[in-house]
Amino acid sequence: MFGYAIRRVLSALPVVLIAVTACFFILRLAPGGPFDGERALPPETLANLRAHYNLDLPLIQQYGIYVGRLLQGDFGPSMVYNDFTVAQMLWIGLPFTLMLGFTAFVVGTVAGLVAGSLSAVNQNKLPDYVLVMLVMVGLVVPNFLMASILQLVFGVYLDWFPAGGWKPGSLQHLVLPVIVLALPHAGRTARLMRGSMIEVLGTNYVRTARSKGLGTRLILARHAIKPALLPVVSYLGPGLSYLLTGSLVVEQVFALPGIGKYFISAALNRDYGLVLGTTILYMLIILAVNLLVDILYAWLDPKVRYD
C-alpha cells in the first residue's frame, strides 16, 4: 500500500505541473494587471513595481522563475497585500476553510447516508418520495442562491442565526454556511446510497438472511451497509473537493475569514501569486483526499488490492 501511495504521488506530479502552467499563462493573458487601480500610478513607480515582481521580464522567463521558487516551497509574494507573502495569506485562511469544509462534509455525508438508506428501505412509499424531493431541492438550487435565501429567512426575518460575519468560538455563525455547503453533498450522497442500497437489498444473500428471520436493522448492519457504501466512497473524494472549492463562494457571501475571501479578491485584483498559490493548494488537497479514498475503498472491498 505504501508503494502504491508513492506511485500515485509521482504520477500526479505531471498533472500538477500542467495545471500550474495553464493557470500561470491564463492569468498573465487576462486583461488588466495587479497595479491597474482607480488611481493611475506615475510611470516611474509603475516601472519599479513591475521590476520588483519580475513583470518586466519575458513571460517564459517569469514562468521559469516562478516554477523555480515553487520547487523550493516558495509561493512568492502577494502583489496586493504588500506585508504578506502568499504562504502567509494561505496559512491565515486555510484553517477556517478546512474547518468549514470538513464540518459540512461530515454533516452532509451522515445526512445523505441516513436519507439514502431510509429511502431505499421504504422504496416507492411516502418517506421515499419525501426524501427524494428534499434531495432534489439540495441539488437543483445553487449555493449562492440557497445562501441568500437562508440569510433572508433565518438571519433577517426570523433572526435565529447570524446572517453573516464570524465571531471566534461562536457556532451559531457556522450553522447557515454549513447547511448551504452540506445540502448538495447530502443530496448526491443520498442518491448514490439509495441506488446502491436498493441493489444490495435485492441480492441473494440478503434474501437468504430475510428467510432466516433476521430483522431489517440486523440485515442492514451486518450485510447491506458495507457493500452499499462502495459507490458512495468512490464519490467522497470528489465530493470533498467540491465542498472545499464551493466554500469559496459561501465564504464570500457570508463574509467568513477563509481562503475564499482572499482568493476572490486576488482574482479581481489580478494578484497572480495568491491565485496560483490557492490553486496549487487545492490541487494538493484534492490529490491527498483521493489517495485516502482509494485506501478506504480497498478496506471496504477485499477484492480490491493495489499491488
Side-chain angles (χ1 to χ4, degrees), residues 115-187:
S117 300
L118 291 175
S119 182
V121 172
N122 298 278
Q123 185 182 6
N124 297 328
K125 297 179 182 178
L126 181 60
D128 184 22
Y129 298 141
V130 173
L131 289 171
V132 168
M133 182 184 67
L134 294 176
V135 164
M136 292 306 298
V137 171
L139 291 175
V140 171
V141 181
N143 275 350
F144 63 90
L145 179 57
M146 181 62 71
S148 301
I149 293 173
L150 293 184
Q151 279 182 323
L152 186 63
V153 175
F154 296 102
V156 178
Y157 292 155
L158 298 178
D159 196 22
W160 288 359
F161 304 103
W166 168 245
K167 181 179 179 181
S170 175
L171 296 180
Q172 287 187 333
H173 288 77
L174 287 177
V175 173
L176 295 183
V178 167
I179 291 175
V180 171
L181 279 177
L183 275 177
H185 177 68

Side-chain angles (χ1 to χ4, degrees), residues 63-305:
Y63 173 74
I65 293 174
Y66 182 78
V67 173
R69 288 178 174 176
L70 196 61
L71 293 175
Q72 300 175 8
D74 183 9
F75 287 93
S78 171
M79 299 179 185
V80 175
Y81 302 94
N82 298 324
D83 297 330
F84 297 92
T85 64
V86 171
Q88 290 173 331
M89 298 295 296
L90 295 177
W91 185 252
I92 292 172
L94 181 61
F96 186 90
T97 297
L98 291 179
M99 178 191 66
L100 180 64
F102 278 106
T103 303
F105 176 76
V106 172
V107 172
T109 301
V110 173
L113 292 177
V114 173
S117 300
L118 291 175
S119 182
V121 172
N122 298 278
Q123 185 182 6
N124 297 328
K125 297 179 182 178
L126 181 60
D128 184 22
Y129 298 141
V130 173
L131 289 171
V132 168
M133 182 184 67
L134 294 176
V135 164
M136 292 306 298
V137 171
L139 291 175
V140 171
V141 181
N143 275 350
F144 63 90
L145 179 57
M146 181 62 71
S148 301
I149 293 173
L150 293 184
Q151 279 182 323
L152 186 63
V153 175
F154 296 102
V156 178
Y157 292 155
L158 298 178
D159 196 22
W160 288 359
F161 304 103
W166 168 245
K167 181 179 179 181
S170 175
L171 296 180
Q172 287 187 333
H173 288 77
L174 287 177
V175 173
L176 295 183
V178 167
I179 291 175
V180 171
L181 279 177
L183 275 177
H185 177 68
R188 295 183 180 91
T189 304
R191 291 181 62 185
L192 288 172
M193 189 64 181
R194 179 182 182 275
S196 180
M197 182 65 75
I198 289 174
E199 183 178 352
V200 171
L201 291 177
T203 56
N204 292 330
Y205 65 87
V206 172
R207 292 196 186 100
T208 302
R210 283 176 176 168
S211 66
K212 291 181 179 180
L214 294 181
T216 302
R217 293 182 181 179
L218 197 57
I219 292 175
L220 291 176
R222 289 187 179 181
H223 303 288
I225 289 182
K226 191 172 179 179
L229 282 175
L230 292 177
V232 179
V233 170
S234 300
Y235 163 72
L236 291 182
L240 180 56
S241 306
Y242 172 81
L243 284 176
L244 292 175
T245 54
S247 66
L248 299 178
V249 177
V250 174
E251 288 171 4
Q252 185 72 9
V253 173
F254 286 98
L256 299 174
I259 294 179
K261 172 183 177 182
Y262 304 116
F263 179 78
I264 295 178
S265 175
L268 294 176
N269 295 319
R270 300 294 189 273
D271 191 346
Y272 302 139
L274 188 52
V275 174
L276 281 168
T278 307
T279 304
I280 295 169
L281 178 62
Y282 274 120
M283 281 193 297
L284 296 178
I285 292 175
I286 290 170
L287 291 173
V289 168
N290 288 332
L291 178 60
L292 292 176
V293 167
D294 285 346
I295 296 173
L296 180 60
Y297 195 93
W299 174 76
L300 286 171
D301 190 354
K303 295 181 292 183
V304 177
R305 289 292 179 267

